[in-house]
């Protein structure tokens, strides 16, 4: 899976997006990409005793 690292600059007072720049594009294994969110959600669901 191809992923991009994007750098975005916002105006702190208005919240307006000033600039957006693609810093890097790379190939990442899907398991590696989704693992952090899956582990986070699993922990939250386990704490809530949903699973």
């Amino acid at each position: 899976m191809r992923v991009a690292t994007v750098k975005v600059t916002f105006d702190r007072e208005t919240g307006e997006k000033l600039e957006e720049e693609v810093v890097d594009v790379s190939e990442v294994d899907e398991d590696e990409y989704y693992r952090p969110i899956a582990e986070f959600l699993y922990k939250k669901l386990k704490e809530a005793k949903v699973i």
Side-chain angles (χ1 to χ4, degrees):
M1 172 165 73
R2 291 184 66 180
V3 296
T5 303
V6 180
K7 176 183 170 185
V8 181
T9 305
F10 291 94
D11 183 304
R12 295 177 106 181
E13 292 193 16
T14 65
E16 179 183 346
K17 182 168 64 169
L18 302 175
E19 183 180 348
E20 184 173 320
E21 173 187 356
V22 175
V23 177
D24 182 43
V25 176
S26 58
E27 196 71 31
V28 178
D29 178 59
E30 282 189 38
D31 291 337
E32 180 183 335
Y33 182 80
Y34 289 111
R35 180 172 285 117
I37 189 70
E39 289 174 353
F40 173 79
L41 291 175
Y42 176 77
K43 181 181 175 186
K44 292 296 183 183
L45 292 171
K46 190 172 179 184
E47 288 173 359
K49 299 184 192 249
V50 174
I51 56 174

